[in-house]
Amino acid sequence: MNKLFALVVVFLVISCNKKNEKTKILFVTTNINEMKSEPNGTYLIELAVPFNQFLKKGFEIDIVSPKGKEIPIYHSGDTTIVVKSIIQNEVFKNKTENSLKPSEINPKEYLAVIIPGGYGQFWDTHKNKDILQVISEIYDSGGVIGTIGHGTATLINVKLKSGEYLVKDKTMTSFPTWNEKNIMKQSNFGKLLPYDMETELQKRGANLKVYNHEKKINYEIVDSKNRLITASFSNSGEFVADEVLKLINKKE
């Protein structure tokens, strides 16, 4: 009888540990589907490329959005072999057509959060309390954060259990205001955006490294001590994913 009781206890302990084992990667996306009557949402290459990297490594991936269900994705000439391949992948199609609501996420299951860009993040994710809480809990429990381009906008309001902003004292970069004002026609050169990301990050105490156009530096930043990887532009999805993987493997 005592042996049977001991076996039951061991089984329950193992089951609980498996249930709380961190094995997943969470992508944070938007439900906003247009800006100035033009298609918007999450920028395809910033979602597809890192998604592909984690899928190749055998990770389970979830996508969360404020409202759940199918997420809007937009792109402009993203015809790389990787993108063409991943958008036909059944896992990718299933996850993007059936994103989860924040209430369906258990933060204890995730090793990392990836936030791809897209202008939609400026209007919904950065002020969605439930998504901000999910990000906060994953980070507070040792998770890694990776952002690409405009996706960094989602971090401006994330607060940790300490009460501090997540970005405070973190060395990071973001999509540059200079580029927004000079080349981004879709945002009417930044005039349509509700806030300037550089300004807001600096207000919250981030050690922001702004992209230098002459020296071509500060467009990809790894703050390994603080488990934060940020990139300025859409072509850094593979870099962000690989650096997040390095930090995950380092912890294990």
Side-chain angles (χ1 to χ4, degrees), residues 140-248:
D140 266 330
S141 64
V144 182
I145 307 290
T147 71
I148 308 163
H150 291 94
T152 310
T154 294
L155 293 183
I156 67 167
N157 287 330
V158 178
K159 282 189 175 182
L160 304 177
K161 60 184 177 183
S162 65
E164 300 280 7
Y165 284 107
L166 186 151
V167 300
K168 185 180 179 183
D169 298 325
K170 309 297 191 298
T171 301
M172 62 189 299
T173 190
S174 68
F175 191 85
T177 297
W178 186 94
N179 287 63
E180 199 71 59
K181 290 183 175 180
N182 284 274
I183 66 174
M184 300 306 290
K185 185 178 179 181
Q186 188 172 16
S187 69
N188 193 17
F189 308 103
K191 294 176 184 177
L192 295 179
L193 301 183
Y195 55 85
D196 178 86
M197 186 162 32
E198 283 183 12
T199 300
E200 296 306 311
L201 289 170
Q202 289 169 337
K203 281 182 182 178
R204 284 151 176 73
N207 178 22
L208 191 67
K209 302 292 184 181
V210 178
Y211 173 62
N212 185 302
H213 300 271
E214 294 181 359
K215 297 181 179 179
K216 307 299 180 187
I217 59 173
N218 294 335
Y219 57 91
E220 294 173 336
I221 300 288
V222 177
D223 185 346
S224 56
K225 178 183 176 182
N226 291 303
R227 295 173 278 115
L228 180 64
I229 295 94
T230 50
S232 299
F233 304 115
S234 62
N235 60 355
S236 290
E238 185 173 341
F239 170 84
V240 170
D242 287 347
E243 292 299 323
V244 168
L245 284 167
K246 287 179 186 177
L247 290 182
I248 288 173

